[in-house]
Every structure is written in C-alpha cells, then in structure tokens.
Amino acid sequence: MKALILAAGFGERLRPLTEKTPKPLIPIAGTPALLRMIRSLEAAGCTEIAVNTHHLGGRIRDFVASKNFSIPVTCYHEPEILGTGGAIKNLEHIFCDAPFLVVNGDILTDLDLGELRRVHERAAVNAATLVVHDYPKFNNVLIAGDRIVSFLSETGPDYWAFTGIQVVDPAIFDFLKKGEFQSSIAAYSEMMAAGLRIGVWMPENLWWHDMGSFEGLARAALETGALQVFAKSQGVVYAKDLDVKELAGGGSARQWRRLTLNDESIVSVDHGLAEGPDWNEADAYNAIGRHLHESGAPVPKILAYDRFAGLVFAEDLGDMSLEEAVGLQGIEKALPLYEQAVKNLARMSVRAYEGFDPAWTCQTEYYDESLILEKESRYFFEAFVNGYLKRQAKYKDYLPELQLLAKETVEGAHPGFLHRDFQSRNIMIRDGQCCFIDFQGGRIGPAQYDLASLLIDPYAALPQSVQDRLIDLYLKELSQYRNADRESFLKRYQYCALHRNMQMLGAFAHLSQNMNKPGFEEYIPLALQNLKKRINLFPQAPALQQLIKSLELPKTKKANC
C-alpha cells in the first residue's frame, strides 16, 4: 500500500513559529512529526510515500532528501495550495490503481497503520475508512454503527472526531476536480450522497495529538518526552498507560507535572516553548541541575531535556516539602531536617562552586551590586512600598543609602555557589532526606545569602533561637572546607538577610496583586515585622530606616492577611 502525507499547510495557529519552520518539521522530543510519521508508515509495510508541500516546501524537500529511508519518499510541491482533496487529486497518477493511506503531517499517534489497512481490506464495501475517536474539541462526525452519516459544521456531545488518518479507494478521484482547491471532507460527503459507503474504525486507547496549536504542540511534547524517558528504564511502553497529574506551582509561571507509568513516576518542569536561540531559564535549570547533581548536591537527577519545548524531566522527589514537614511535626521535631539542610547547603556552596560555569546562568552571572539594587531594592520599592502600600516613596531619594548597603553586602565576600531561592518550599523530603529544587536562578555569590533565605523564610517562621543555632551549625560545617571568620561572616549575613527580606516583600506583593496568587499575601505581615526589626542594625541608612519603620499595613490588608 502507498501513502500520502499532507504537509502543505501554513501552520497559521503556530505563527510566528511556522514563519521559518514548516509545521511537520517542528521537533517533538527532538524528532520532527514528519519523520515520526514516515517511520510509522515504513513499519506498516508501505511501499511508497508521497509528501505534498507548499509553505516552506524547500525545507521539507531538503529534510526528506537528507534521510535514508527503506522505501521511496518523494515530495510534490504545490505552487498554489490545493487543500486536502486537491492534494489527493493532484497525485492521482500515483494512487489510481489501489487503496492508499492518507495521513496529516501535523499529528502524533501510536496507531498501528498496518492494522488500519487490514481493517479497510476486511470491510470490502467501504470506499474509504476513516479513523475516529472521542476528542470533544473536534467531535463533529455523526456515525451510525461502523459508517459515517454526515460531517457537521459544529461539534456535539454525541459525535466523534476525525483523526486525519484514513484509507481511501481510487473511487474518490471521481469526486475531485484537478487543479482546484478542495476539501477531502467535501468529497466524502458527495460520495455518501452518491451511495458510496464511508466506514470508520474506532481503535481502543488511541494515543493521538494534533500539534496544529501551541496547546497541542506542548501536550504532544510532554507526553512523547515522558514516554521516551520511561522507555529507557522499562523497555517497550504504551501511551495508554501514561498518567499525567498537574502539581501545584509556587511563585513562578512554570508548570509542574507528575507523570506515572507502570508504578514508576517522574516529574516534568515546563518552562514554555523556547523563544529563540538565546540562553533561557530552562537551559539554566538543565545545566545547573546536572552540575549540582555531579557535584554531590542533593538535587533531583535530570533524566531528559527538550530545549525546544522548554521541558525538563527529573526524578520524582514526592510531595512533602520542608514547610509541610514543619506544619505537620512542629519546628522542634522538624529541626533535624533543618540541620541536615544547613549542612548540605554549606557543602553545596563550596563543592558546586568548583567547576561552575557562569555562562549557565540565565539572569546575571553573579550576585552583585547591580542585581541587589535592581532585583531586590527597587523591587521592594516598586512592588511593595508603592505598589502594595500605595506610598509615593521615590527610589532615587534612597539610592545613595541603598548603594552603600549593596556594596557592603558583596565587597570582599568569599564566593560560592548561590541557589538564590533557598527556602522551605524548595526543599523536598524523601525518605527522611532533604533534596533541593528550583535551582534555575543559581549563580556565584556570598554563601550567607542562601542561609539567610532559609532562616528568615516566613513560611516556617523559625524562632530566633533556632536561627542562631542553625547559623552556628552552618559555620561549623563550612569550616571543614574553608576558613570562615565568624565576625565577618555574621556581618555579611545580616546584610544578605536585609536584602532577602526586602526581596520577599516585593515578591509577595507582586504575586498576590499581579499574578493572581493571593496565598502569598498572608506572609506579608510577618515579613514586614521582621524587616522593621532588621533595619535597626543599619544606622548608616537613616532615611531607609525611617521609611521602613513608618510602613503600616492598612486595616483591610491586616484583616485579609
């Protein structure tokens, strides 16, 4: 049996992506959909494949020519696009002598195309056999038994969706006009009106994705990538066995999912489609995560990375965070976990610094004065002071003091690896062991910053006595790797804690007000209370001291929090 792959479409729903890349060549887990379909047709026993092209047809032709296939694969360019029916009629000279397969070039499926051929052969009365399934978004085919009654203009609850996969008899050519734009669906309707039978096949547990939209493309990449990961450990796997569960996210726009197949689970971190060749957050997550794992840090092992889709697949660390452990057990019982986390943090700061490439970072290579001023001080003023509290404080009026504080934070600091968001929600507990996640913001910086992030974290609200105890433990662990002067360490710790405190208030305000994540608002009162105490340690910033001490939450905010 011969086959036709329809690959001439413009991919309008995927613009601007398809302005340079034809839709069938968009990579799905590293392999274009067109190549996947050709391999499936080869495996089904097809003897020859035709590919119709129009939009960026030269790219498709060159791609096909670059591969070695076991059967002839030939591209036929349409100077003017002809539609699905016109494309079939245009190649009548190839398919006029026997039934042939027709498949869309922008779908992914695990359908046994050889079995489809046999289904059509067994139903000798069918002029065509179309594969349909239940897909509410596209359900517009009315069926009676094993044949089609009509194609509708709207979807309905009692209808089925056409997959774009079919076997067609040469009889169709009598209902198509040469050189004219025409839909194959229109031809099928005319064939039924003439008394010909259009049959259907509804395979069970069909895995099928239309990658004609960004939503479909993302889902296809997610499931295909996961199946490839599971295949490495399990051998042959089936898409019907794959379960996908959405996980609650934190303060970022990334999506987390748990994927399970045959009692094995992994986690995906979805950063969204890459917008171009520039280094991005997904690249940083992948590169930094692999480096941390190799350095011995307790982070999840990265199993696969799909740069185009922005997907990172990693080992599953479960659902219990350090924050949740504190909530369930109380601080005293959870203290051994904090002690473990602090020791591992000290080791990670030193060991992960060795061999760390600053080019892996996605924002700035270092935690430096400019980052402090832009991402912490200005963030605090714009998002919290003026945005949340509706004050009209001018950032530039406080800039000299803020510059001084930023300089003293990093000047002379012993460099180490900096996680940048090291708090109780980013520490997972698995089998009694602490594991660190959300390291995509990692860079080089003072070790005190991560320690401060953990200890002043309002999610857990550690008492000061516990914070002091953990600082001592950190210093003791750090002393095994390098000299650490206690006095200078603690001084810089306070500077780091100040800036982290301002940063988190900016973040809580932004997330609750602008990102529709009201749950972060409840942590604002404690964070503000801590900042008012902390600012007393910095007499060199009297104007900032006065401002922070004057900040008050409105009664409505206090009530909401």
Side-chain angles (χ1 to χ4, degrees):
M1 181 174 283
K2 299 175 183 178
L4 169 61
I5 300 177
L6 299 171
F10 291 98
E12 293 180 352
R13 290 179 294 163
L14 290 177
R15 288 180 175 171
L17 183 61
T18 49
E19 290 176 359
K20 295 182 178 180
T21 303
K23 185 167 53 173
L25 294 189
I26 292 175
I28 303 297
T31 303
L34 178 62
L35 180 57
R36 293 179 183 275
M37 183 56 73
I38 292 174
R39 296 300 188 197
S40 294
L41 291 168
E42 280 184 308
C46 286
T47 57
E48 181 180 347
I49 298 174
V51 182
N52 82 314
T53 66
H54 176 73
H55 175 61
L56 299 176
R59 291 282 307 277
I60 296 177
R61 181 198 62 227
D62 293 343
F63 176 81
V64 169
S66 70
K67 304 297 180 182
N68 292 319
F69 298 113
S70 62
I71 58 177
V73 180
T74 308
C75 293
Y76 295 89
H77 186 68
E78 298 174 4
E80 293 186 12
I81 197 164
L82 297 173
T84 54
I88 293 172
K89 182 66 173 180
N90 191 49
L91 298 175
E92 182 176 2
H93 63 286
I94 298 174
F95 300 113
C96 61
D97 57 348
F100 56 99
L101 272 162
V102 181
V103 295
N104 289 347
D106 61 351
I107 60 173
L108 270 77
T109 182
D110 63 354
L111 182 69
D112 184 341
L113 296 172
E115 180 61 21
L116 170 60
R117 180 188 64 188
R118 292 185 286 273
V119 167
H120 180 76
E121 290 171 348
R122 288 194 294 267
V125 295
N126 289 346
T129 300
L130 279 57
V131 178
V132 299
H133 65 153
D134 183 18
Y135 201 86
K137 184 178 179 180
F138 300 131
N139 282 354
N140 64 354
V141 181
L142 181 60
I143 292 172
D146 60 353
R147 66 183 179 88
I148 293 176
V149 174
S150 64
F151 298 92
L152 307 175
S153 58
E154 298 181 355
T155 60
D158 299 322
Y159 306 107
W160 296 78
F162 175 39
T163 62
I165 308 169
Q166 62 231 277
V167 175
V168 188
D169 277 4
I172 193 173
F173 293 116
D174 294 335
F175 298 86
L176 296 169
K177 296 179 181 180
K178 181 73 173 179
E180 294 187 13
F181 184 94
Q182 189 174 353
S183 163
S184 59
I185 299 300
Y188 289 142
S189 296
E190 292 182 24
M191 292 168 71
M192 288 188 293
L196 296 178
R197 192 177 193 276
I198 307 299
V200 296
W201 181 36
M202 295 174 282
E204 295 183 0
N205 301 314
L206 176 66
W207 182 72
W208 179 93
H209 281 291
D210 163 43
M211 48 171 284
S213 67
F214 283 106
E215 178 185 4
L217 181 62
R219 190 68 178 191
L222 172 72
E223 296 188 12
T224 304
L227 289 169
Q228 290 183 181
V229 171
F230 285 122
K232 293 178 183 178
S233 58
Q234 300 185 30
V236 178
V237 294
Y238 299 96
K240 66 181 179 62
D241 299 322
L242 181 65
D243 178 71
V244 182
K245 179 183 178 182
E246 301 287 332
L247 299 178
S252 75
R254 288 169 297 135
Q255 292 179 291
W256 293 76
R257 299 180 179 92
R258 173 171 290 117
L259 302 110
T260 305
L261 196 150
N262 298 332
D263 297 325
E264 180 184 357
S265 66
I266 60 176
V267 167
S268 70
V269 189
D270 187 349
H271 300 80
L273 294 177
E275 296 182 357
D278 293 341
W279 195 259
N280 58 40
E281 189 177 83
D283 294 322
Y285 191 102
N286 176 60
I288 294 173
R290 291 179 185 277
H291 171 72
L292 291 176
H293 192 269
E294 291 171 1
S295 71
V299 299
K301 181 179 180 181
I302 292 178
L303 305 171
Y305 176 43
D306 181 347
R307 187 183 193 279
F308 173 79
L311 284 168
V312 180
F313 297 93
E315 64 177 318
D316 187 359
L317 301 179
D319 297 310
M320 179 66 68
S321 68
L322 181 56
E323 177 199 18
E324 291 169 315
V326 171
L328 291 172
Q329 303 175 15
I331 291 174
E332 287 302 319
K333 289 186 177 179
L335 188 56
L337 294 173
Y338 267 95
E339 292 174 342
Q340 181 190 141
V342 162
K343 289 180 179 180
N344 286 333
L345 175 62
R347 287 194 290 269
M348 182 173 72
S349 174
V350 176
R351 291 177 176 175
Y353 173 67
E354 299 172 1
F356 183 84
D357 187 348
W360 293 332
T361 59
C362 66
Q363 294 175 340
T364 64
E365 296 182 352
Y366 302 93
Y367 180 83
D368 54 19
E369 293 177 44
S370 62
L371 181 144
I372 293 172
L373 293 172
E374 185 64 27
K375 301 297 184 182
E376 297 183 335
S377 302
R378 184 187 293 275
Y379 193 28
F380 168 70
F381 270 80
E382 293 182 353
F384 180 69
V385 177
N386 296 333
Y388 188 81
L389 297 182
K390 309 302 180 185
R391 298 285 290 264
Q392 295 182 349
K394 295 181 179 179
Y395 175 72
K396 65 178 183 179
D397 293 343
Y398 301 88
L399 187 55
E401 292 182 2
L402 293 169
Q403 288 173 327
L404 176 62
L405 293 173
K407 180 179 180 181
E408 294 186 8
T409 301
V410 297
E411 191 172 52
H414 194 289
F417 171 76
L418 183 68
H419 180 287
R420 183 73 168 88
D421 194 19
F422 197 79
Q423 35 92 354
S424 59
R425 290 186 175 181
N426 286 339
I427 300 175
M428 306 303 294
I429 311 301
R430 183 181 65 174
D431 300 329
Q433 299 298 309
C434 293
C435 301
F436 307 154
I437 62 172
D438 265 19
F439 35 71
Q440 70 284 338
R443 67 202 70 199
I444 301 302
Q448 292 91 331
Y449 188 89
D450 281 345
L451 181 62
S453 298
L454 178 64
L455 301 190
I456 70 170
D457 162 18
Y459 302 140
L462 297 180
Q464 188 59 51
S465 59
V466 173
Q467 293 184 41
D468 293 340
R469 176 176 171 179
L470 292 172
I471 290 173
D472 290 339
L473 180 62
Y474 183 95
L475 277 166
K476 182 179 179 181
E477 185 68 25
L478 186 64
S479 66
Q480 297 185 38
Y481 304 97
R482 64 176 178 84
N483 294 327
D485 179 75
R486 180 181 179 82
E487 183 177 349
S488 62
F489 181 93
L490 293 178
K491 177 182 178 181
R492 184 159 287 110
Y493 172 87
Q494 295 299 345
Y495 280 97
C496 288
L498 172 68
H499 289 109
R500 177 64 177 184
N501 207 153
M502 290 194 290
Q503 186 275 338
M504 68 173 63
L505 279 167
F508 293 156
H510 173 67
L511 291 167
S512 59
Q513 284 200 317
N514 305 324
M515 301 300 291
N516 195 31
K517 296 186 177 185
F520 287 95
E521 192 171 24
E522 67 179 277
Y523 301 103
I524 288 178
L526 179 57
L528 180 57
Q529 176 185 332
N530 290 339
L531 181 62
K532 287 185 173 184
K533 294 178 182 178
R534 186 160 286 110
I535 195 62
N536 290 323
L537 299 174
F538 304 95
Q540 70 272 49
L544 186 62
Q545 274 190 340
Q546 183 177 359
L547 172 67
I548 290 175
K549 290 178 179 180
S550 72
L551 299 179
E552 293 293 339
L553 296 175
K555 291 183 179 180
T556 55
K557 298 293 185 183
K558 291 179 180 179
N560 290 337
C561 296

